[in-house]
């Protein structure tokens, strides 16, 4: 079943570039907080001034319109200022996961053609200076640019201390920055956000200024997100939920975004009481530990009126059964949320598990993936999306590899649609694993296991009530080999993969013990059962 929605005319959202949007908000709400991240507070006026100074530094370093600027920072004012600075001069920001290993950084830097990297020196025990030394043999953070390394041929400059870059931009006239800002167009690329695909290589999703801002305008209207709201989100800014739905949506609304990097539970609860969020969004399982703190029953979180972080929401609005509230479907390719509902109340039993309908500005249909024919009511098929807010495409790939000739994006997800147009998720057409809000490509993990052990592995997702799915690995051990020690394999994989990609469960089987179908293919259902039983 297909449901179309009318798009909002462009002239209803007059500010369709980040530099123009920031200028508006700084003029209207200069003293209002844009971001509160623990004790780190950034007002709209400060965001404007600090990003202007850094933008001049980027210009002085040779960056400009179209330059790919990587951002390797945790949530906080530093990464927000860096994004705004790059966007102001028309550069394309490429947020990088702080979970990344050296090998993953090398792949991201190379595949995204990052020319200038703005990075934290370390975060939560991860030493990014040392990681860069692994990426670029002989890398010296104190050496003058340019970097010239065959491992990352586009990379020319790495900046760990933004202050040094700001100092170098002091000689850039205001008129030069103003001219760079004026040259930014709604059709220009704003950001490349990476997401894992069904292959081992991460895919860089390109979003332009105008379409992404217009999409967030639709979403803000749907969720009634305005200037008086305070949103607490636990989504990292390097993923689309944190970058677009939380950060860009907040800038557009003129609201306040609250986040936390604290590992101390009482400190996070103190932050929530102090900032009084009205909305909460992100991954619910990641805040469940907050509700288990002994002080939680005495905490005043009654300011929260809506959202999806159920464990910390007031009992009066917390659902008895979250599956009787509409879910949301978010995709990097769709600029965050693409299926949702503005009805935040409990639904009737027959609507259990609903993901709502396509958000304004997007069309959706559920089709036979082979023929493209639209499925009937409650028939399972692949979800296809179309609309101006979708990604431009994947970086380095031709558009025809991603979209049909008439503009439909094939999501690979299996859905059904009821007679009222509500969508229900059935499963993933591919083998993608969704764990704690993050995508994991099994082939990437299988390749890492092969590299560490020389053995063939089958990596699948198994259901888990807290994380959605767990990454699990079945390792095939020939009769001529001893099975590797689980703890040693686990340690080896942690040096090759981000922590969330490392399997949480292992099973070592002889070749003849691996369940197979009569077709000769792996029996994934039987394998999941073995892992669950184990």
């Amino acid at each position: 079943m297909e449901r179309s929605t009318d798009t909002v005319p462009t002239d209803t959202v007059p500010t369709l570039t980040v530099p123009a949007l920031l200028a508006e908000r700084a003029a209207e709400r200069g003293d209002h907080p844009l971001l509160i991240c623990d004790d780190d507070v950034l007002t709209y006026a400060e965001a404007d001034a600090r990003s202007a100074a850094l933008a001049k530094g980027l210009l002085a370093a040779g960056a400009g319109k179209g330059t790919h600027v990587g951002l390797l920072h945790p949530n906080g004012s530093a990464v927000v200022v860096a994004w705004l600075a790059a966007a102001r001069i028309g550069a394309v920001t490429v947020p990088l996961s702080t979970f990344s290993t050296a090998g993953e950084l090398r792949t991201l830097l190379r595949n995204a053609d990052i020319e200038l990297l703005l990075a934290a020196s370390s975060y939560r025990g991860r030493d990014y200076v040392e990681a860069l030394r692994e990426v670029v043999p002989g890398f010296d953070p104190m050496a003058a640019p340019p970097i010239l390394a065959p491992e990352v041929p586009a990379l020319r400059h790495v900046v760990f201390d933004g202050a040094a870059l700001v100092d170098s931009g002091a000689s850039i006239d205001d008129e030069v920055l103003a001219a760079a800002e004026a040259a930014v167009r709604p059709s220009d690329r704003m950001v490349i956000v990476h997401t894992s695909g069904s292959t081992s290589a991460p895919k860089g999703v390109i979003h332009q200024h105008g379409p992404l801002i217009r999409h967030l305008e639709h979403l803000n209207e749907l969720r009634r997100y305005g200037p008086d709201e305070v949103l607490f989100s636990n989504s990292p800014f390097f993923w689309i939920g944190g970058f677009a739905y939380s950060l860009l949506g907040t800038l557009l609304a003129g609201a306040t975004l609250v986040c936390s990097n604290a590992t101390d539970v009482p400190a996070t609860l103190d932050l929530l009481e102090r900032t009084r969020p009205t909305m909460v969004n992100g991954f619910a399982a990641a805040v469940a530990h907050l509700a288990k703190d002994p002080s939680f029953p005495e905490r005043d979180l009654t300011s929260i009126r809506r959202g999806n972080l159920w464990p910390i929401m007031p009992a009066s609005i917390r659902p008895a059964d979250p599956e009787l509230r509409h879910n949301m479907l978010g995709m990097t390719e769709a600029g965050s949320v693409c299926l949702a509902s503005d009805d935040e109340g409990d639904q009737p039993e027959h609507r259990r598990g609903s993901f709502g309908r396509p958000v304004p500005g997007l069309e959706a249909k559920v089709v036979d993936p082979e023929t493209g024919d639209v499925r009937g009511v409650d028939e399972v098929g692949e979800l296809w999306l179309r609309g101006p807010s979708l990604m431009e495409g994947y970086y380095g790939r031709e558009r025809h590899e991603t979209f049909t000739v008439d503009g439909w994006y094939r999501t690979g997800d299996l859905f059904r649609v009821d007679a009222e147009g509500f969508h229900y998720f059935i499963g993933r057409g591919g083998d993608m694993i969704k764990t704690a809000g993050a995508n994991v490509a099994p082939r990437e993990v299988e390749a890492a296991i092969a590299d560490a052990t020389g053995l063939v592995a089958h990596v699948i997702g198994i259901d888990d009530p807290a994380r959605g799915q767990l990454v699990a690995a079945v390792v095939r051990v020939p009769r001529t080999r001893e099975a590797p020690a689980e703890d040693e394999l686990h340690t080896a994989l942690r040096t090759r993969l981000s922590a969330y990609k490392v399997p949480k469960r292992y099973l070592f089987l002889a070749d003849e013990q691996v369940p197979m179908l009569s077709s000769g293919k792996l029996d994934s259902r039987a394998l999941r059962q073995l892992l669950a039983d184990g």
Side-chain angles (χ1 to χ4, degrees), residues 174-493:
D174 290 343
E175 292 77 8
V176 174
L177 175 58
E181 291 179 315
V184 179
R185 302 285 183 263
S187 59
D188 290 341
R189 292 174 174 178
M190 180 205 297
V191 67
I192 298 175
V193 182
H194 281 88
T195 182
S196 297
S198 57
T199 64
S200 61
K203 295 175 288 187
V205 176
I206 306 166
H207 283 290
Q208 301 160 313
H209 284 252
L212 190 57
I213 290 173
R214 190 180 296 112
H215 181 54
L216 267 297
E217 180 79 2
H218 293 319
L219 294 180
N220 281 1
E221 183 177 354
L222 185 74
R223 58 179 170 165
R224 303 184 297 284
Y225 190 31
D228 296 327
E229 303 290 351
V230 177
L231 170 66
F232 172 74
S233 174
N234 64 354
S235 298
F237 295 165
F238 48 76
W239 286 331
I240 198 67
F243 178 82
Y245 197 70
S246 298
L247 179 55
L248 180 58
T250 297
L251 177 65
L252 187 60
T256 297
L257 176 61
V258 177
C259 62
S260 178
N261 295 320
T263 56
D264 179 61
V265 170
T268 304
L269 293 172
D270 289 345
L271 173 71
L272 292 172
E273 286 192 302
R274 184 173 73 250
T275 56
R276 307 283 299 165
T278 58
M279 301 168 62
V280 291
N281 179 260
F283 187 64
V287 297
H289 67 292
L290 299 180
K292 296 177 182 177
D293 187 79
S295 71
F296 184 78
E298 308 304 320
R299 299 287 185 163
D300 180 8
L301 302 182
T302 55
S303 60
I304 300 172
R305 299 195 301 266
R306 57 186 187 273
N308 68 350
L309 299 182
W310 314 121
I312 62 171
M313 295 175 67
S316 60
I317 59 173
R318 192 184 309 150
D321 185 346
E323 283 300 296
L324 291 181
R325 298 276 177 95
H326 289 294
N327 294 290
M328 295 186 298
L329 179 68
M331 292 183 178
T332 309
E333 293 85 349
S336 71
V337 174
C338 53
L339 296 178
S341 174
D342 60 356
D343 183 351
E344 297 175 336
D346 290 339
Q347 301 301 303
E349 181 61 36
H350 72 270
R351 212 172 283 159
R352 172 181 290 276
S354 163
F355 276 74
R357 299 186 174 104
V359 301
L362 284 178
E363 298 175 79
K365 63 180 179 180
V366 171
V367 305
D368 181 322
E370 299 297 326
T371 67
D373 294 337
V374 176
R375 293 292 202 189
V377 172
D378 288 328
E379 292 183 343
V380 176
E382 183 184 7
L383 178 70
W384 287 12
L385 299 172
R386 183 169 68 178
S389 61
L390 288 177
M391 64 177 176
E392 176 188 321
Y394 293 121
Y395 185 69
R397 298 193 186 188
E398 297 289 339
R399 186 174 172 84
H400 67 78
E401 297 179 60
T402 306
F403 293 92
T404 66
V405 292
D406 50 352
W408 290 98
Y409 167 63
R410 301 167 174 170
T411 69
D413 287 336
L414 301 179
F415 274 79
R416 67 174 178 87
V417 185
D418 68 17
E420 299 172 292
F422 291 99
H423 289 62
Y424 300 83
F425 178 70
I426 303 301
R428 290 169 179 83
D431 54 3
M432 181 64 65
I433 300 169
K434 189 84 165 182
T435 180
N439 290 329
V440 177
R443 292 185 189 179
E444 182 182 11
V445 184
E446 290 165 358
I449 293 173
D451 181 56
T453 66
L455 299 174
V456 174
H458 304 292
V459 174
I460 60 175
I462 58 176
D463 292 340
D464 180 73
R467 302 175 68 88
Q469 288 183 302
L470 289 179
V471 180
V474 175
V475 183
R476 302 175 72 137
V477 183
R479 291 181 178 274
T480 56
R481 290 277 307 268
E482 289 277 337
E486 182 174 321
D487 58 344
E488 292 178 2
L489 174 57
H490 194 78
T491 299
L493 293 179

